[in-house]
Amino acid sequence: TESNDGIAGGTDDDILLATGAKTTCSSADGVMDMSGNLKEWTNEITGTTTSGTNIAVLRGGAYDSPAQGAACDFRSTRAAVSVVLPTVGFRCCKATAP
């Protein structure tokens, strides 16, 4: 989240990092980057735009969000499902290794 300096030294650089870039950001099962870095799309639809596009809830925080955004239940953003933003992504999960 915003409090993480993505580039060591100098000023606070809030940047998107590649998955796995922070080796300490791992669960006991080895799942990487479960919070922070990007807000994630959910399938929770809360309405539609005037043109009929669904509006979905985004959860979690991005690299430019305050520290409290690094929680899966952080829900402060909604967006039309057609929007493309550098702070929004998605996660693919699978119960078995690829």
Side-chain angles (χ1 to χ4, degrees):
T1 57
E2 192 279 326
S3 58
N4 178 58
D5 188 2
I7 302 172
T11 61
D12 180 17
D13 305 298
D14 301 321
I15 61 168
L16 177 64
L17 298 173
T19 299
K22 304 291 276 183
T23 57
T24 57
C25 191
S26 173
S27 74
D29 294 320
V31 180
M32 305 296 292
D33 306 326
M34 290 302 292
S35 61
N37 213 22
L38 287 179
K39 296 176 187 176
E40 295 178 351
W41 289 108
T42 71
N43 63 355
E44 184 179 346
I45 304 300
T46 60
T48 58
T49 65
T50 56
S51 63
T53 303
N54 284 342
I55 298 171
V57 171
L58 300 168
R59 290 198 184 269
Y63 57 88
D64 62 349
S65 297
Q68 65 265 29
C72 293
D73 61 353
F74 187 69
R75 180 186 183 265
S76 69
T77 309
R78 301 177 323 135
V81 297
S82 58
V83 75
V84 176
L85 296 169
T87 55
V88 177
F90 66 94
R91 181 176 309 277
C92 295
C93 299
K94 186 174 180 175
T96 58

